[in-house]
Amino acid sequence: MGKKNINQVSPILIGLMGCGKSSIGRRLAKRLEIPLIDLDDYIVAKAGRTIPEIFAEQGEEAFRDMESAALREVLGKPAVIATGGGAIMREENRALMKEHPPVIWLNAAPEFLADRIDGDSNRPLIAKGETLKKLQKLAEVRYPLYETCADYTVPRGEMKKRKVLKSILRFLKGWKSEQG
Ligand code: S3P
């Protein structure tokens, strides 16, 4: 199968904070020759405020409303979509994503992620320390949800970005040919 067919795919990347949805998404988009839509960036541009500002001034629920609206707006576009780590929390979002496969889970353990995002002031849910503990709590709730959404899971913690990208591209080729 040629590159042309893979280009028709619009993959959605899911996974916990720090697993590389944006950076791997950027590389993937380049390879597929389609844009990357980073959902967090999209929300920030639309709201005209940063994520910490939205959380502090309007609360997490308001952010989640913006996230659901953003998801509805971008799904179906020819793009790689990098979601925020909590986008799978709402049932309506999970249903929407399932309607727009393929969904790819970058699965990494909290232990792998904690050092990478520790002290990141742009991520309100891990602000004020105890990053590992917080990630472990999030993982407990979210892993089953990521799993139910995912058409493909990449063990991100065990692979370098280059290998992750290769693995996703291989999956997309197979997935696309199955779709006919
Ligand atoms: C969140 C993850 C963030 C961002 C917001 C909430 C979460 O995105 O959407 O801070 O609930 O896990 P990243 O996964 O890109 O850090």
Side-chain angles (χ1 to χ4, degrees):
M1 155 159 317
K3 199 167 152 198
K4 205 164 171 229
N5 287 320
I6 307 182
N7 285 354
Q8 291 161 8
V9 181
S10 297
I12 304 172
L13 303 182
I14 60 172
L16 273 184
M17 289 175 258
C19 68
K21 297 176 298 275
S22 304
S23 63
I24 290 167
R26 202 171 307 118
R27 293 173 192 217
L28 183 61
K30 203 171 165 195
R31 286 294 294 269
L32 300 178
E33 297 174 0
I34 51 178
L36 167 74
I37 299 176
D38 183 300
L39 211 60
D40 285 342
D41 291 348
Y42 187 94
I43 295 165
V44 166
K46 218 173 158 195
R49 341 172 133 182
T50 66
I51 291 177
E53 281 167 356
I54 299 170
F55 269 68
E57 292 161 20
Q58 296 169 266
E60 181 171 349
E61 271 313 291
F63 173 79
R64 297 297 171 200
D65 289 342
M66 294 178 198
E67 188 173 48
S68 296
L71 195 62
R72 269 194 304 274
E73 283 167 27
V74 304
L75 284 178
K77 290 191 197 295
V80 173
I81 296 163
T83 60
I88 43 73
M89 290 301 289
R90 285 194 176 172
E91 153 80 84
E92 64 169 292
N93 296 352
R94 296 198 295 278
L96 270 173
M97 287 192 240
K98 282 185 176 177
E99 283 169 20
H100 294 84
V103 180
I104 298 167
W105 177 22
L106 305 182
N107 180 5
E111 290 73 14
F112 172 81
L113 301 172
D115 281 349
R116 297 160 54 95
I117 58 170
D118 197 32
D120 185 344
S121 59
N122 203 35
R123 289 181 160 115
L125 291 186
I126 51 127
K128 301 183 196 131
E130 300 205 302
T131 303
L132 178 58
K133 222 168 151 182
K134 286 175 184 162
L135 281 173
Q136 283 167 335
K137 276 200 162 163
L138 291 175
E140 231 176 83
V141 177
R142 293 180 178 181
Y143 275 23
L145 302 177
Y146 291 133
E147 200 167 4
T148 58
C149 281
D151 297 293
Y152 184 58
T153 301
V154 191
R156 167 66 181 106
E158 295 156 28
M159 291 187 196
K160 299 251 185 250
K161 281 183 188 162
R162 196 167 43 86
K163 258 192 128 179
V164 170
L165 184 65
K166 259 190 160 176
S167 160
I168 293 175
L169 287 167
R170 200 178 315 120
F171 158 73
L172 289 178
K173 265 194 181 182
W175 189 83
K176 189 67 196 165
S177 60
E178 266 174 37
Q179 306 305 301

